[in-house]
Amino acid sequence: MLAALLAVTALLGVLWSREARWSRADYCLETPGQVWGLAPVPAGATATCPASQTVRGEVRRGVTRVEQYELSGWQPAPVLDALTAGGYAVLSRIPDDGIQEAAVLNGHGEQLTYVADRLDGNTLVTITARGEH
């Protein structure tokens, strides 16, 4: 009886922790502390997730995957460098014009879109890919 109660309690704990992810501000990060689950987050980069409820729903349903990183000043390269160090290859690239840099990457069986935008003198990097569905 005690074993069954402990098993049910453990199962409920696992289910609660999975559901709790969707209410957290970092809901979109599959592996906190790593860029796209492959490489450490570069020094000075802060991981964020879009606040949009629509995006949150798409990530939860597996339709899309997204990660965002904020960096002080104009620094479009560190997160892109982390992705290439993690095994992604740049297929095409729109070079840094001081306002935006974009790239399409391929690796690990998926294609990513990488966009670094200048916002208020800082950098917001967004990485997206189609989900599992």
Side-chain angles (χ1 to χ4, degrees):
M1 177 72 171
L2 182 59
L5 181 59
L6 289 173
V8 168
T9 302
L11 177 62
L12 289 174
V14 168
L15 292 174
W16 178 83
S17 66
R18 285 184 182 169
E19 285 302 307
R21 172 184 178 190
W22 305 112
S23 63
R24 294 189 325 245
D26 66 349
Y27 70 91
C28 69
L29 305 174
E30 259 185 52
T31 309
Q34 293 187 331
V35 174
W36 215 253
L38 297 169
V41 173
T46 303
T48 66
C49 295
S52 164
Q53 290 300 317
T54 301
V55 173
R56 186 182 299 263
E58 288 177 359
V59 170
R60 184 176 187 161
R61 289 190 312 274
V63 174
T64 193
R65 184 170 169 203
V66 62
E67 290 186 8
Q68 289 185 322
Y69 298 89
E70 294 180 12
L71 298 100
S72 62
W74 177 236
Q75 299 185 64
V79 178
L80 183 59
D81 293 344
L83 289 169
T84 58
Y88 282 87
V90 175
L91 295 177
S92 65
R93 191 173 191 168
I94 299 172
D96 175 2
D97 64 1
I99 298 171
Q100 186 179 65
E101 180 175 346
V104 175
L105 298 97
N106 194 27
H108 303 279
E110 68 182 341
Q111 193 170 77
L112 308 180
T113 303
Y114 176 94
V115 178
D117 287 304
R118 182 184 292 269
L119 295 174
D120 299 325
N122 293 319
T123 307
L124 177 63
V125 171
T126 304
I127 308 163
T128 56
R130 287 188 183 157
E132 299 172 26
H133 302 208

